[in-house]
C-alpha cells in the first residue's frame, strides 16, 4: 500500500457558523497540542486513535471555503477505523456539536456578539484525546509552556510514530503502552515519569474514555479525573474541557478566564466564581466555546501590546 495515499476519506457538514481558518489561527493551545496553523488551506493532525495504539494522520480542508463542507483524508494505520477516526476528528474540531444556537448567545450578550464578529466561525480546537491532555498537564506542571512543548515534541519523535500526510511527516504522541514502560526521559523529573507511567495504565484501563467522561455530570467527571496520580483541580478541568471537549463547561480554576472577562466587560477586577457564573449564564449551552473565545481575545490583545500593535 502507498503510505502517501489516504486510507479513508470523509466529510463534515457543520451545523451553525464555522471557520476552519479562524478556529486554527486564533486558539491558544496549539503549542501544547502540537498543532500548526492550516497551510495552503490544509490542517494536518497526527494522533493515536481513541482506545488503540494505532497512529493516524488527517488532512483537514474547507472544500467550499465558507465552512459548509469540511473534507478529511486519513493516512497511516487507519484501516478499519473510519468511524473512530471520524468521531475523534469531529470532537477535536468541535464539529460534533450543533452550533446553530451559538449566534443566539451574542443576541443575549452584546459583549460576546462583538467577539463573535471579530472571530467569525471560531470553535474550540481540543487536544486529540483526554489521555493526551492529561499527559500535557503532567509534563507541563511547574515549567514554562515552551519548555513543556519541547519535551512533549521530543516524546512524540522518540517514542511515538511518524505519519506521512501526503509528504508532510508528523509524529503522533506515543500511545498509552509506551508510557507504561517509561523509565526516564530528558526534561522530566522522576515524579513526572511515575505519573506518566500510571497515566498509561489508566488509559489502557479505559479511565480516560472521552465518551464516558462526556456522559457524566461535570462534577462527577472531575472527581473521577482527580483520582489519577498528579491530576489536581486545574488539570482535571483541562482534561475535561479541552480533552473530552465538552461544549458547556465553565472552569473554576482558570485565572486567565477571569482576567479575560474583566477585560472585555470593563470590570475593575477579575470576578469571583459566583459573579463569573452570573455573567456566564447567557452563554449556555456553549460556555466552553465562549470561554475559549474570551481567552483567544485576551491573548491576542496581550500579543498586540507586547509587539507594539493595536487592535483596530
Amino acid at each position: 500500500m502507498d503510505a502517501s495515499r489516504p486510507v479513508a476519506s470523509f466529510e463534515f457538514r457543520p451545523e451553525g457558523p464555522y471557520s476552519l481558518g479562524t478556529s486554527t489561527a486564533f486558539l491558544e493551545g496549539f503549542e501544547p497540542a502540537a498543532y500548526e496553523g492550516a497551510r495552503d488551506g490544509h490542517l494536518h493532525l497526527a494522533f493515536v486513535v481513541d482506545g488503540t495504539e494505532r497512529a493516524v494522520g488527517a488532512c483537514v480542508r474547507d472544500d467550499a471555503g465558507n465552512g459548509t463542507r469540511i473534507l478529511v483524508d486519513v493516512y497511516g494505520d487507519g484501516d478499519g477505523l473510519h468511524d473512530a477516526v471520524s468521531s475523534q476528528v469531529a470532537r477535536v474540531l468541535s464539529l460534533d456539536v450543533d452550533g446553530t444556537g451559538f449566534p443566539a448567545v451574542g443576541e443575549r450578550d452584546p459583549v460576546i456578539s462583538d467577539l463573535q464578529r471579530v472571530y467569525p466561525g471560531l470553535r474550540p480546537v481540543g487536544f486529540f484525546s483526554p489521555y493526551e491532555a492529561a499527559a500535557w498537564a503532567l509534563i507541563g506542571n511547574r515549567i514554562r509552556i515552551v519548555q513543556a512543548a519541547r519535551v512533549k515534541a521530543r516524546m512524540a519523535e522518540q517514542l511515538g510514530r511518524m505519519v506521512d500526510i501526503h509528504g508532510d511527516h508528523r509524529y503522533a504522541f506515543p500511545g498509552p503502552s509506551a508510557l507504561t514502560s517509561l523509565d526516564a526521559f530528558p526534561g522530566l523529573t522522576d515524579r513526572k515519569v511515575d505519573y506518566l507511567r500510571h497515566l498509561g495504565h489508566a488509559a489502557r484501563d479505559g479511565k480516560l474514555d472521552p465518551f464516558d467522561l462526556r456522559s457524566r455530570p461535570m462534577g462527577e467527571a472531575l472527581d473521577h479525573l482527580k483520582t489519577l496520580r498528579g491530576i489536581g483541580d486545574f488539570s482535571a478541568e483541562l482534561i475535561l474541557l479541552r480533552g473530552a471537549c465538552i461544549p458547556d463547561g465553565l472552569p473554576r480554576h482558570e485565572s486567565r478566564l477571569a482576567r479575560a472577562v474583566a477585560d472585555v466587560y470593563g470590570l475593575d477586577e477579575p470576578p469571583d466564581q459566583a459573579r463569573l457564573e452570573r455573567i456566564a449564564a447567557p452563554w449556555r449551552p456553549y460556555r466552553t466555546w465562549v470561554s475559549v473565545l474570551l481567552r483567544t481575545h485576551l491573548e491576542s490583545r496581550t500579543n498586540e501590546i507586547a509587539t507594539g500593535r493595536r487592535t483596530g
Side-chain angles (χ1 to χ4, degrees):
M1 180 180 294
D2 186 350
S4 65
R5 296 180 62 83
V7 298
S9 299
F10 50 86
E11 68 176 55
F12 298 115
R13 300 278 184 165
E15 298 177 286
Y18 178 69
S19 168
L20 179 64
T22 302
S23 296
T24 58
F26 290 99
L27 288 179
E28 57 84 22
F30 286 127
E31 196 161 34
Y35 296 137
E36 295 179 12
R39 295 178 296 180
D40 299 325
H42 292 201
L43 175 66
H44 290 173
L45 313 173
F47 54 93
V48 169
V49 181
D50 288 333
T52 78
E53 301 287 337
R54 293 164 64 177
V56 301
C59 174
V60 185
R61 62 195 186 277
D62 185 342
D63 179 54
N66 58 10
T68 60
R69 184 168 181 255
I70 306 301
L71 303 182
V72 182
D73 290 329
V74 181
Y75 298 81
D77 193 11
D79 286 332
L81 295 176
H82 179 283
D83 290 345
V85 175
S86 175
S87 174
Q88 195 162 350
V89 172
R91 184 181 72 240
V92 169
L93 298 179
S94 295
L95 292 176
D96 60 337
V97 177
D98 185 344
T100 54
F102 192 46
V105 174
E107 296 172 7
R108 295 191 292 269
D109 186 333
V111 171
I112 303 307
S113 178
D114 290 342
L115 293 183
Q116 288 173 330
R117 285 193 292 270
V118 174
Y119 306 105
L122 186 149
R123 295 191 188 188
V125 176
F127 284 89
F128 295 122
S129 64
Y131 156 72
E132 190 164 336
W136 166 256
L138 295 173
I139 293 168
N141 186 34
R142 300 191 177 186
I143 61 175
R144 295 171 58 241
I145 289 178
V146 172
Q147 180 183 356
R150 289 172 182 164
V151 173
K152 183 172 181 286
R154 287 198 303 268
M155 292 184 74
E157 292 174 5
Q158 296 178 29
L159 304 177
R161 298 176 184 174
M162 186 272 288
V163 182
D164 181 350
I165 308 175
H166 61 83
D168 182 13
H169 293 176
R170 296 292 181 98
Y171 289 88
F173 188 75
S177 291
L179 295 191
T180 61
S181 58
L182 189 66
D183 290 325
F185 196 84
L188 294 178
T189 63
D190 290 343
R191 176 172 291 183
K192 287 186 178 182
V193 169
D194 179 64
Y195 288 161
L196 288 169
R197 193 163 51 242
H198 282 87
L199 174 65
H201 286 289
R204 288 179 56 177
D205 291 341
K207 294 181 180 179
L208 287 141
D209 178 79
F211 300 101
D212 173 61
L213 291 173
R214 291 178 68 152
S215 71
R216 299 175 182 237
M218 184 169 176
E220 178 184 319
L222 292 172
D223 288 342
H224 168 73
L225 290 169
K226 286 187 288 186
T227 64
L228 303 175
R229 292 193 186 185
I231 299 300
D233 291 325
F234 177 85
S235 297
E237 289 182 347
L238 173 73
I239 297 165
L240 186 61
L241 300 181
R242 301 301 299 277
C245 304
I246 66 170
D248 188 37
L250 187 67
R252 293 174 172 268
H253 300 88
E254 173 51 273
S255 60
R256 287 175 293 182
L257 174 60
R259 294 202 304 271
V261 169
D263 179 54
V264 299
Y265 285 87
L267 306 181
D268 293 332
E269 60 183 7
D272 59 20
Q273 187 62 35
R275 188 177 187 186
L276 178 60
E277 290 181 357
R278 290 195 298 271
I279 292 172
W283 307 347
R284 293 176 181 270
Y286 303 99
R287 288 177 296 172
T288 306
W289 290 23
V290 174
S291 297
V292 170
L293 188 63
L294 287 160
R295 284 284 310 279
T296 299
H297 185 65
L298 176 66
E299 296 198 3
S300 294
R301 281 173 51 84
T302 301
N303 291 336
E304 287 163 357
I305 292 170
T307 57
R309 294 184 289 114
R310 300 181 62 182
T311 54

